[in-house]
Amino acid sequence: MAGLLNELDRPVDRRVLVLRVNGEDHQLLLPVHKTLLEVLREDLGLTGTKHGCELGECGTCTVLVAGEPQLSCLVLPVQLGGREVTTVEGLTAGSELTPLQRAFADLGAAQCGYCTPGMLLSATALLRSNPKPNATEIREALAGNLCRCTGYSKIVEAVELAASGRG
Amino acid sequence: MLRLPRLRFLIPDSARQAAAMAAEGGPTTMLVAGGTDLYPNLKRRQFATDTLVGLTHLRELHEVRGEASSGFEVGACVTLSAASRHHELHAGYAEAAGLVSSPPLRNAGTIGGNLCVDTRCNYYNQTQEWRQAAGYCLKKDGDICLVAPSSPRCWAVSSSDTAPMAIALGATVVLAGTDQERELPVSALYRDDGIDYLAKQAWEVITALRLPPADGLRTAYVKLRRRGSIDFPIAGCAVALRMEGDLVESARVVLSAVASHPLEVHAADQLLTGARLDDETIAAAAEAAAKPAKPLDNADLDYFWRKRMVRVVVEEALRKAAAR
Amino acid sequence: MADLKVVGQPLPKADAAAKVIGAAVYADDIVLPRMLHSKLLRSPHPHARILSVDASAARRIPGVKGVLTGQDLPIRFGILPVSQDERALESEKVRYVGDPVAAVAAVDEETAAAAAEAIRVEYEVLEPVLSIEDALRQPGDERIHASRSLPANLHRLQSYEFGDLAAGWARAAHVREDLFFFQGNTHLPMEQHSAVGQWVDGRLTVWSSTQVVHYVHRALSKVLELPMNKIRVIGAAHGGGFGGKTDPFAHEIVVAKLAMVTGRPVKCTLTREEVFYAHRGRHPVLMWVKTGVDEEGRITAMHFRSALDGGAYGSYGAASVFYTGTLQTVTYDIPAYKFEGCRVFTNKPPCGPKRGHGTPQPRFALELHLEKLAEEIGMDAVELKRRNFMQPFTRAVNWLRVTSCGLEECAEKVLAASGYRTRERRPGRGQGFAISAYMSGAGTAIYWNGMPHSEVQLKLDRTGVTAYCGAMDIGQGSDAVIAQIVAEELGIQAADVRLVTADTDSTPIDLGSYSSRVTFMAGNAALEAARKMRALLDAAVDARAGVPFLEACELAETKWGALSTAGSYTPPRIGGPFKGSGVGPSPAYSYSAAVVDVDADARTGIVRVNKVWIAHDIGRAINPLLVIGQIEGSVYMALGEALMEEQTFRRQLGLHKWPSMLEYKSPTFVDTPEIESFLVETVDPEGPYGAKEAGQGPLLPVIPALNLAVHDALGVWIDETPVTPEKVLKALKDGRVGPKMFPAVPWPEPIIVEPPARDDMRVGAELEAAFPSA
Ligand SMILES: Cc1cc2nc3c(=O)[nH]c(=O)nc-3n(C[C@H](O)[C@H](O)[C@H](O)COP(=O)(O)OP(=O)(O)OC[C@H]3O[C@@H](n4cnc5c(N)ncnc54)[C@H](O)[C@@H]3O)c2cc1C
Ligand code: SF4
Ligand code: FES
Ligand code: FES
């Protein structure tokens, strides 16, 4: 029961890991029990990745692992096995917004913006595997990402706009 | 930020070695695949675990071998999304895998982990602080069941979406122990107990799920949950039918989320076998299937309602399977 | 105003780009050198006396740098002057599971959490009070707040009578009474509350995820006994509030105090579970309403009662009670109106303002009630409602002054678009129609002061123009609105206006981003400041037309020297000559109408929303993109409340049933229908360019419209929220699901208020001069 104090007595299992994040390799000495979410935010300063529950229930912390959306709050870096991680900071090459980011900004798909990084990554993965998704496919692909501000409509429109190439 | 406890993380070279590590570590050591079930539970301190043995590094556990005609062997670490997208797997199985939680979770959650997913209860899947405030229960640290206080056992709910389908298919799992491997029908993997819900040794590693040949099997899985995504099942039904013309040659109906184990309803199977799959048969089978379902007040929505809905999901699953 | 260039444009939010590249810095993203992490220890009991707190074990843990208990923060605070009933850390008793009692600062979160757990608190457990009924009875052990003058656990008690009720009842051809219950629910912003405190050389800086830097500033000053000029509060990029971050919170005070004690920056970010305990969400409200109508269906009199389950502390509750009673009269024209409302304390997390603050509950009740009334007298419900619609430029019986009012137009838009009148009538398919009104900011400040409600300063120099505004952009896009107004007046692009907002050091006062007040109030202040600046520019540059803006700025600086202008906005006095008239008046009311279309399955009770049509009288859309965003977000939140969201507690334990994102059901993409929005622009005489509000009003009609659609589909009445499948089945069996009685409340004698003349539009000094001298 009163366990947290006892936990502090345990030794910390630390590993040297090379994480490939947004195209850069980072060699880090990490406690193995730190989740990817914590490492991104606290060790790499990539605070663009947000969190709303840390339990896999909200999708806010979504990043891409080898191109697929995953919940960074439930990923241990030791299990990445060299797979590349992409965060919101890694979407843009240089200073230009991607068409998807542009569409999110222009259409008001980001209100408070807190769910936005996760949404963008889920949507990026969708557009890579299905460049012309219809509204139902968009809703299904993003259904693990909650948003409390937008009512989702503008997010669907933004993904459609980015897919149309008109954005 | 909710964080994991300090852990040792062991990386075995083989499933056997994983089993050996887990056996040696004893009760505070656990196997982990995608971690999508285990990590939230650990963050809430539902286990006193200090060591994990990782399985996802084992390449052979990621393979899907075989073909539709001879049956597939699906590696335990194949992700739910890979399984759901696999066009040749039984439609009902892929369907069940694709209905687990949400898209990003399915990219990490594995089919082996899904078979072993911990039983759930609204008094148990809570943080340490909450459980302290509520008073601990049988499943962790306490000595009564808060849902059924007069009961000597735990009624936590089996919440796997794919296990019922695997059972309906007559699938087996391959288990690696410390010094041997064995094959076990998925139906024999579970015990009717919310705490000791698995009938295997804690250290035994599921290396693969063996699915039978397609061979005319028609399968469907219907899941009831509050929202169209993220949520666990609050009732579900897996059906595998073999038809002879419009007569049912054989049928297996297995329910999810209405007991501490995937609930096989042989009464429904018997009713269906040899019958014409008309509205009447479907209704009778659904009625028979609903009878043993015993939802309690430890999951989402009212348990009376959940009990009533069992009929609905069974009927729907039968119709869907027949139409495939 | 035909030639508006920037106002009316659907421009992206000012910070949109920062948010899509992950560059926006939210409170939890802030990392300062040597920063410590804080964790609060919270009560496991709903109601208990604190006998002792022993933090010695926590202090001994390596890495722990500071420990606070109730002794360290004894001064009470609270958002309203009448409810100074909270402490950052309680030392005498705890009043809900989650009430903070101690806090730790340590080198990391892991250590802080372990140290918090190591603090030993001895409690004497008291019988908890967990329902409205229980709270009205004499408590078994003791009252939740012992010092209050009202009996039992009553917090507030109000009674008013406007107009001649007796005559109204006498005139009525039909009278009907109904009971309704609106379940409590919470904001669930995606961002968990977070604050960082820093103490340097006797000056405190706090960054917070607050909606109102000014209120945090005041609370810190009071509790820490520091003058306002030693404290700076900065609103970090905001991850969603919906009213849930408008109170000052324990963690904000704790990080400040811990920073003062340790000399190091301290951060505290709540866990999701703690966010459920911080709460301040929608009050559960029990309601009784009685209405009389004449032969034509015109309302002759209405009597409305509400009982609010307030949770453990006052919060905004004193205002919330009023809000359950005041806006009835600005949606429907009610010639005689009686309102009785009470709020009780219970041992649950405190309720407060959530989107629509106190008005979604009565709106729900009233829309269902009138529909029932219409059915009873065999009249078309839409027609009955229309006959009673509030008209523009009318003063309501309780003195609220309605200016622009697009109710008719809103109703017509959604009725036509949805095909409501010609809808297919078959079991299982239904549509529901409802209307609403909401305030564009409260006419009276929540604490007495003579300052403007909002001020905007402009600085202009060779580098262009900067607007300084105290309002916090919480995602609704208020920064963009300020920029567009300034740009419109100066004849430049919105993107050329730089913004400094929500920083108590550098920005003037604004009473915060809640109550739908920013566009109206800060917008008017910005307009005034910009017009003054425009005059200065024009005077410095002969022919502006040809001169590029930056050049014009330099010319202006050359002519005038350092250049700044300011604008302020104070709403006029609108309320009538009676105590309590301060809650409800607003310089303008927005109007909405909605139709919801559902499939409701009689076998399963499952309701599927097919589509929502909503029309909103925004006055003028300064930025239609943002207005639509607010409307769609409101519809979403309303559907969640209508169908699945509820903040409920385990009996006896007083414990939140499911403080998690998994079990507190917020609709996902696939649960949210298509939403078709219509903007109605009535151009309000007092709003900036005629603008009113959009952040809250559109939530209101959707909840009753959903219930009415289920009624339309299945013929059942579900007189409470949310409409869960089990309730639908129960209603199919019993005809109705809903409360069966309204408890006995010791209502006081009503305050009798003489109603104004219906066409009396006077405000301010003119109005006050006309008040009877009594
Ligand atoms: C928000 C949320 C929603 C969810 N919704 C659903 C849902 O709808 N339906 C559903 O079925 N599940 C759901 N889950 C649970 C879980 O994510 C899935 O069951 C997933 O498939 C588990 O797989 P995993 O690889 O992540 O398992 P892990 O978390 O790695 O392991 C789970 C358990 O299985 C054991 N284990 C894992 N692999 C093996 C193996 N090869 N051999 C032996 N033991 C093993 C572990 O020791 C552990 O006890 C949900 C989880 C979350 C957080
Ligand atoms: S069913 Fe009973 S014993 Fe099992 S987890 Fe729930 S409360 Fe605990
Ligand atoms: S933070 Fe909610 S899913 Fe990871
Ligand atoms: S934009 Fe605020 S949560 Fe999605």
Side-chain angles (χ1 to χ4, degrees), chain B residues 121 123-124 137-139 144-147 153-156 298:
Chain B
C121 168
Y123 286 90
Y124 167 66
C137 77
L138 278 175
K139 192 159 157 86
I144 60 158
C145 170
L146 298 169
V147 180
R153 59 163 285 189
C154 164
W155 295 95
N298 58 357

Side-chain angles (χ1 to χ4, degrees), chain A residues 37 50-62 71-74 144, chain C residues 192 661:
Chain A
L37 169 70
K50 303 296 185 229
H51 56 108
C53 72
E54 303 100 63
L55 293 170
E57 303 172 349
C58 72
T60 311
C61 65
T62 303
L71 305 169
S72 64
C73 70
L74 300 185
Chain C
Q192 301 156 113
M661 303 276 289

Side-chain angles (χ1 to χ4, degrees), chain C residues 559-706:
Chain C
K559 177 173 170 78
W560 299 109
L563 258 180
S564 65
T565 60
S568 319
Y569 180 78
T570 309
R573 165 151 193 163
I574 295 164
F578 58 96
K579 187 169 175 282
S581 69
V583 186
S586 173
Y589 297 90
S590 76
Y591 286 88
S592 316
V595 169
V596 175
D597 184 293
V598 304
D599 279 312
D601 186 324
R603 182 162 188 221
T604 62
I606 293 171
V607 174
R608 236 203 102 73
V609 184
N610 300 313
K611 187 164 176 179
V612 177
W613 295 264
I614 181 150
H616 182 66
D617 166 16
I618 176 66
R620 178 188 298 277
I622 290 180
N623 182 328
L625 185 70
L626 299 177
V627 174
I628 300 272
Q630 285 305 299
I631 294 174
E632 290 174 350
S634 294
V635 170
Y636 165 80
M637 198 160 270
L639 290 175
E641 295 190 29
L643 287 168
M644 46 180 103
E645 294 181 33
E646 48 187 322
Q647 169 115 333
T648 45
F649 296 82
R650 298 234 170 252
R651 279 227 145 266
Q652 274 103 40
L653 295 171
L655 194 56
H656 195 298
K657 269 194 184 165
W658 28 63
S660 74
M661 303 276 289
L662 178 62
E663 295 300 339
Y664 181 92
K665 302 296 181 187
S666 178
T668 72
F669 265 95
V670 288
D671 307 302
T672 308
E674 189 195 335
I675 301 162
E676 191 173 342
S677 308
F678 303 90
L679 298 185
V680 169
E681 298 197 308
T682 49
V683 188
D684 188 78
E686 292 173 29
Y689 304 98
K692 299 196 281 191
E693 74 87 40
Q696 311 194 69
L699 175 140
L700 299 166
V702 178
I703 300 166
L706 182 284

Side-chain angles (χ1 to χ4, degrees), chain B residues 22-268:
Chain B
E24 197 192 312
T28 60
T29 298
M30 286 182 88
L31 300 167
V32 66
T36 60
D37 183 49
L38 190 54
Y39 296 151
N41 289 353
L42 282 176
K43 287 184 181 185
R44 291 183 293 240
R45 303 302 191 264
Q46 288 165 226
F47 304 107
T49 298
D50 59 17
T51 306
L52 297 180
V53 180
L55 299 176
T56 47
H57 294 81
L58 301 172
R59 296 218 152 271
E60 63 278 16
L61 266 50
H62 291 267
E63 284 167 23
V64 181
R65 271 175 290 211
E67 49 195 270
S69 58
S70 58
F72 283 101
E73 183 170 312
V74 187
C77 286
V78 167
T79 63
L80 292 163
S81 43
S84 71
R85 283 194 301 256
H86 198 294
H87 296 303
E88 288 174 80
L89 294 185
H90 297 277
Y93 183 76
E95 188 168 41
L99 284 169
V100 172
S101 193
S102 71
L105 187 134
R106 293 197 292 273
N107 286 336
T110 67
I111 64 133
N114 194 260
L115 290 173
C116 300
V117 65
D118 194 10
T119 55
R120 297 184 60 84
C121 168
N122 274 347
Y123 286 90
Y124 167 66
N125 294 100
Q126 302 276 6
T127 61
Q128 165 87 29
E129 288 90 340
W130 192 98
R131 283 179 289 124
Q132 188 204 343
Y136 296 104
C137 77
L138 278 175
K139 192 159 157 86
K140 176 85 171 89
D141 298 330
D143 43 25
I144 60 158
C145 170
L146 298 169
V147 180
S150 57
S151 156
R153 59 163 285 189
C154 164
W155 295 95
V157 185
S158 165
S159 302
S160 168
D161 281 308
T162 64
M165 196 66 239
I167 295 172
L169 282 165
T172 60
V173 283
V174 183
L175 293 173
T178 49
D179 50 12
Q180 53 151 16
E181 289 194 356
R182 61 178 181 132
E183 191 173 348
L184 190 71
V186 180
S187 60
L189 186 60
Y190 302 99
R191 294 158 40 107
D192 184 9
D193 184 87
I195 298 170
D196 265 325
Y197 61 96
L198 288 178
K200 68 171 187 68
Q201 299 297 337
W203 60 80
E204 279 181 300
V205 176
I206 297 178
T207 57
L209 175 71
R210 288 195 179 138
L211 298 170
D215 196 21
L217 270 177
R218 305 182 192 199
T219 57
Y221 179 68
V222 170
K223 171 177 182 172
L224 185 69
R225 54 178 161 180
R226 192 93 83 105
R227 298 175 295 180
S229 183
I230 304 176
D231 291 344
F232 279 90
I234 47 178
C237 177
V239 165
L241 292 177
R242 209 181 295 278
M243 304 290 288
E244 176 78 52
D246 57 356
L247 294 183
V248 178
E249 191 189 314
S250 71
R252 285 191 80 174
V253 177
V254 187
L255 305 179
S256 45
V258 293
S260 293
H261 60 117
L263 191 63
E264 296 177 63
V265 272
H266 299 300

Side-chain angles (χ1 to χ4, degrees), chain A residues 1 8 22 35 40 43 51 59 77 84 95 110 150 155:
Chain A
M1 282 159 276
L8 288 187
N22 301 331
T35 60
L40 289 171
D43 297 273
H51 56 108
E84 161 131 37
S95 52
T150 60
I155 298 175

